[in-house]
Amino acid sequence: MSCVKDAAKKEKITYHLSTSLDMNIVYVTLNKLRQAVNHEFHPRAILHSDQGFHYTSPLFQNKVKELGLTQLCPARETFGIMRRWKVFLATLKI
């Protein structure tokens, strides 16, 4: 499952289920995300992700940039971003 959640509203925006872990799972999720927000992202929107091969793929990173989003992989970022990441993860408690 690939899921995108609005951390401020604590709502799932979109998700995609797949029986495969190929790259298509994240590409479909990005397309669904774009449709869910009518192609209009907040100018300061951030896509948090782990460092899995899906999210560190140059093609995925380019697709994120094309959408106008900033991608953060927390283990590669500064302490302040790590703290925000932990707050974000706390919002995912379902």
Side-chain angles (χ1 to χ4, degrees):
M1 181 167 106
S2 177
C3 179
V4 178
K5 182 176 181 180
D6 183 321
K9 294 180 182 178
K10 299 181 181 180
E11 298 174 350
K12 289 183 202 109
I13 299 173
T14 192
Y15 66 93
H16 180 67
L17 298 174
S18 177
T19 57
S20 170
L21 288 177
D22 65 10
M23 290 301 294
N24 196 48
I25 190 170
V26 292
Y27 300 148
V28 170
T29 304
L30 283 180
N31 287 332
K32 287 181 173 184
L33 174 61
R34 187 181 66 228
Q35 292 171 356
V37 299
N38 291 324
H39 306 262
E40 295 181 17
F41 292 97
H42 187 281
R44 293 183 2 215
I46 297 172
L47 180 68
H48 288 275
S49 65
D50 62 21
Q51 291 188 32
F53 76 92
H54 296 95
Y55 307 107
T56 56
S57 154
L59 184 56
F60 176 81
Q61 292 174 347
N62 286 336
K63 288 181 180 286
V64 169
K65 286 179 187 175
E66 288 171 5
L67 292 175
L69 297 171
T70 300
Q71 181 185 10
L72 296 178
C73 292
R76 294 183 182 172
E77 303 299 331
T78 64
F79 174 76
I81 290 175
M82 285 298 294
R83 188 173 59 223
R84 287 191 299 257
W85 175 248
K86 289 179 182 182
V87 170
F88 170 76
L89 288 177
T91 68
L92 294 178
K93 292 181 181 176
I94 300 172

